[in-house]
Amino acid sequence: MAHPLLALGLIGFWLLLSGHYTALLIALGGGSVLLILWLMDRLDKADGSPVRMRPTLGLLRYLVWLFGQVIKANIEVARRILDPRLPIDPVWQTIEVELDSDLQKTLYASSITLTPDTFTMHIRDDGSFMVHALWPESIEALRTGEMQRRVQQTRI
C-alpha cells in the first residue's frame, strides 16, 4: 500500500465521525477507504505528478482558524436573512492571488467556497480568482489578504 498513513487517518476519521461500530458500518468504511486509495493511485499514474499533502502544524492551525471563519460567516448570513434592514448586495470581483503552489491555490479557493457568503467561480490562467460574494464587505475581507497569508503559512 502506497499510502499507509493516509489509510490510517481516513479509517480513524471514519470511525470518529461514524460513532457507530457495527460490522456493516466498519466494512463500509473500510471499503470507502480502499476505494479512495485506489482512485488516488490511478490519478497519480494518470497525471504523472502525484501530490502529497503533508499534514503540518501550520495546516492544523489554519483549519482551526478557517472553522472559526465559517462559523462567523454563517452567523452573518443568518443575520442578513432574518433582518430585512441588512443588505444582501451580490457582487463579482477578481481577487489577485500570490501563492506558490497549485495545492495552496486549491486550498485557498476551497476555503473561499467553504465560507457561506463567498464562492470561487473561476481560477484564471494569470492566477487570479473570480469570486462571487453576497455583499461587498466579503470581497474586501478577502482583499486584505488575511486568508491568503494564512494559507501561505501552512507550508503545504
Side-chain angles (χ1 to χ4, degrees):
M1 180 178 289
H3 309 286
L5 287 176
L6 178 63
L8 288 174
L10 289 172
I11 290 168
F13 191 62
W14 175 275
L15 291 173
L16 178 71
L17 293 181
S18 169
H20 299 281
Y21 306 108
T22 64
L24 175 63
L25 286 179
I26 291 173
L28 289 172
S32 298
V33 168
L34 290 175
L35 177 64
I36 289 170
L37 295 174
W38 177 73
L39 288 171
M40 281 186 59
D41 188 52
R42 289 199 42 137
L43 288 171
D44 287 350
K45 289 177 184 170
D47 67 6
S49 62
V51 174
R52 300 290 180 248
M53 188 169 169
R54 299 169 309 281
T56 63
L57 186 57
L59 179 61
L60 180 62
R61 276 194 302 257
Y62 175 73
L63 292 175
V64 169
W65 176 83
L66 180 62
F67 184 71
Q69 297 305 303
V70 169
I71 290 172
K72 285 184 203 175
N74 273 298
I75 292 169
E76 183 62 23
V77 169
R79 280 186 57 233
R80 288 182 185 244
I81 289 171
L82 296 173
D83 188 348
R85 294 170 295 175
L86 295 174
I88 295 178
D89 183 22
V91 294
W92 295 79
Q93 294 283 324
T94 300
I95 303 293
E96 298 301 321
V97 177
E98 297 176 14
L99 294 170
D100 302 325
S101 70
D102 288 342
L103 191 55
Q104 284 183 339
K105 289 176 186 175
T106 302
L107 178 61
Y108 185 41
S110 298
S111 299
I112 291 171
T113 302
L114 278 172
T115 55
D117 58 339
T118 55
F119 186 78
T120 305
M121 296 300 297
H122 182 62
I123 300 175
R124 298 182 171 184
D125 291 336
D126 64 0
S128 62
F129 293 178
M130 177 58 79
V131 176
H132 176 269
L134 292 178
W135 40 83
E137 295 86 359
S138 296
I139 293 288
E140 293 309 313
L142 289 173
R143 288 191 196 279
T144 65
E146 176 71 13
M147 184 180 285
Q148 189 172 167
R149 183 183 61 75
R150 288 179 180 264
V151 168
Q152 282 176 326
Q153 291 174 347
T154 62
R155 307 246 192 274
I156 57 170

